[in-house]
Amino acid sequence: MPETQHSPAIEVEGLVKEYEYHHKEPGLRGSLRSLLRRETLHKRAVDNISFQIQPGEVVGFLGPNGAGKTTTLKVLCALLYPTSGSVSVLGHVPSRREASYLRSIALVMGQKNMLWWDIPAMETLLLHKEMYRIPEREFRTTVDELSEMLEVGHLLRVQVRKLSLGERMKMELLAALVHAPDVLFLDEPTIGLDVVSQARVREFLKGLNAQQGTTILLTSHYMDDIEALCPRVMLIDMGRIGYDGPLASLVERTSPHKLVSAVYAEPVPRDELLNAIGSLPVQPTDDPLKVSLAVPRDQVAEVASRLLRAGRIADLSIEEPPVEEVIREVFGKAAGERGVS
Ligand SMILES: Nc1ncnc2c1ncn2[C@@H]1O[C@H](COP(=O)(O)OP(=O)(O)OP(=O)(O)O)[C@@H](O)[C@H]1O
Ligand SMILES: [Mg+2]
């Protein structure tokens, strides 16, 4: 890779983004009044955040609705000017909108279409080829590779409006990637897709990162995306970053328990079972031969061996709590501290 190898791909320092907007009262009277006396209001969507992302990292950007995720991505992609703070991506200041910068990044928004509806995706790709001045041979190779990875080769010449949601999303990804960007920003890339398409898109992104070393910053409300793709996560709430680190440590820190489950091959004598369970809280299960316990991390081995001794075991598993639950807990706590329910 170029000169970015030893410096971060993305560097954000004290970024603040405030939106300016005007309050408008409802109705004609309200419209007239706001014409005469417009009150300017400010919304601080991103409130002094700092982080660095190294080349080749895949980072998940998580937060509740309105947390400031899209705003941050838009600043990084030069769609919005920062109010203050400094941003550097691949050594460029995004807001300068240099052509060489725009050529080295891509943004895909699950909620927005970049492709033209009335023409086949191939036409848009050819437009990108001209826009980004991609040499013919490189263009063909990239399109072939990407369409094979995404399994959409046969759809390149079909009008975009005739594609299914999942097929269209894959085309959006393809179109965003024909110029082989080094950094890819994804804003909810799997929103609205069925589970199979979601999994395909995830696999594709994983492969892209592994094969091309593409740096990826992605937001998603689907924890499956985050678990599959992001060793590192940043949590943002009300414009501030509350956690930045490994997903695994977040799970450990937030939930001091692991879930230990035993499925027995035959009913276990009550006393044996009660003895194995001790005073640990039992989780509800729908299988009468299954016991599930939330066990403090330092007691996992001991409890597992007690469960093994209690009866004839068909299956024993030790799991982390679902990430979904962990995230809900983190944001639930934050909301609780603010006095929000
Ligand atoms: N153009 C705008 N003018 C005024 N306020 C805005 C504007 N765009 C966004 N906001 C506000 O800024 C805050 C952050 O919005 P943003 O879209 O970045 O959130 P988000 O984390 O992407 O949320 P979601 O998960 O719902 O997509 C919200 O409170 C939103 O209402
Ligand atoms: Mg958003």
Side-chain angles (χ1 to χ4, degrees):
M1 257 199 264
E3 72 280 6
T4 52
Q5 196 148 44
H6 299 292
S7 48
I10 303 174
E11 209 167 1
V12 171
E13 187 59 48
L15 174 65
V16 172
K17 175 64 200 177
E18 276 181 7
Y19 290 106
E20 239 181 43
Y21 63 105
H22 301 283
H23 189 69
K24 182 190 158 302
E25 285 166 43
L28 183 61
R29 189 184 285 255
S31 297
L32 285 174
R33 193 175 299 158
S34 42
L35 257 180
L36 295 171
R37 188 174 51 83
R38 291 228 300 182
E39 192 189 355
T40 305
L41 300 167
H42 296 269
K43 163 78 198 177
R44 189 171 274 226
V46 171
D47 189 6
N48 191 13
I49 66 170
S50 304
F51 60 87
Q52 292 191 344
I53 295 177
Q54 302 306 320
E57 267 196 289
V58 184
V59 179
F61 203 21
L62 309 183
N65 291 128
K69 304 179 295 292
T70 300
T71 304
T72 306
L73 292 189
K74 283 184 172 171
V75 170
L76 292 172
C77 292
L79 293 174
L80 289 174
Y81 279 98
T83 304
S84 62
S86 69
V87 178
S88 154
V89 183
L90 300 168
H92 295 265
V93 175
S95 56
R96 290 191 190 139
R97 299 190 58 90
E98 290 151 314
S100 61
Y101 176 62
L102 300 177
R103 262 202 298 274
S104 56
I105 60 156
L107 168 69
V108 176
M109 304 182 102
Q111 316 252 35
K112 285 225 171 86
N113 296 302
M114 315 247 180
L115 293 168
W116 294 33
W117 274 72
D118 295 316
I119 57 175
M122 193 58 182
E123 304 291 318
T124 305
L125 297 185
L126 287 167
L127 201 69
H128 285 203
K129 173 174 173 274
E130 295 310 314
M131 238 162 58
Y132 292 110
R133 293 176 215 273
I134 308 168
E136 176 70 25
R137 199 207 269 251
E138 194 182 315
F139 175 76
R140 294 286 158 201
T141 319
T142 313
V143 171
D144 284 352
E145 266 175 27
L146 291 174
S147 54
E148 191 176 321
M149 281 166 88
L150 288 162
E151 303 169 316
V152 291
H154 59 298
L155 298 171
L156 285 169
R157 298 187 185 277
V158 177
Q159 241 185 348
V160 170
R161 66 163 68 248
K162 293 185 181 150
L163 301 178
S164 76
L165 187 65
E167 291 165 347
R168 214 160 62 224
M169 194 58 222
K170 290 178 180 176
M171 287 301 181
E172 292 279 345
L173 280 166
L174 206 168
L177 293 167
V178 269
H179 64 288
D182 293 321
V183 175
L184 176 59
F185 299 102
L186 297 164
D187 199 6
E188 305 187 36
T190 58
I191 195 158
L193 302 188
D194 65 58
V195 284
V196 177
S197 307
Q198 275 183 23
R200 290 248 167 84
V201 168
R202 281 200 283 273
E203 279 313 304
F204 168 73
L205 294 172
K206 223 175 181 163
L208 183 79
N209 170 256
Q211 286 164 32
Q212 324 273 344
T214 311
T215 308
I216 299 177
L217 176 58
L218 105 160
T219 80
S220 178
H221 288 287
Y222 298 118
M223 288 311 132
D224 287 348
D225 288 350
I226 304 300
E227 274 187 275
L229 289 168
C230 311
R232 170 180 166 199
V233 295
M234 299 193 288
L235 302 191
I236 183 168
D237 193 12
M238 302 188 81
R240 298 197 178 160
I241 292 182
Y243 176 86
D244 178 357
L247 178 61
S249 318
L250 176 72
V251 173
E252 240 166 74
R253 196 180 76 168
T254 313
S255 172
H257 295 91
K258 282 197 181 191
L259 200 62
V260 179
S261 305
V263 181
Y264 290 97
E266 60 203 13
V268 182
R270 198 183 137 78
D271 286 350
E272 298 284 335
L273 194 60
L274 286 178
N275 183 33
I277 292 172
S279 58
L280 293 167
V282 180
Q283 310 288 307
T285 68
D286 45 16
D287 179 350
L289 290 174
K290 181 174 177 181
V291 198
S292 248
L293 304 169
V295 183
R297 286 172 189 276
D298 57 351
Q299 294 175 33
V300 166
E302 161 65 21
V303 172
S305 74
R306 284 207 314 255
L307 286 169
L308 278 169
R309 286 196 304 267
R312 200 153 71 80
I313 287 272
D315 188 27
L316 182 83
S317 65
I318 299 168
E319 293 162 75
E320 293 290 352
V323 173
E324 202 109 44
E325 216 166 83
V326 172
I327 303 290
R328 211 179 307 128
E329 188 153 321
V330 175
F331 292 131
K333 259 189 203 148
E337 280 158 17
R338 296 198 300 267
V340 184
S341 63

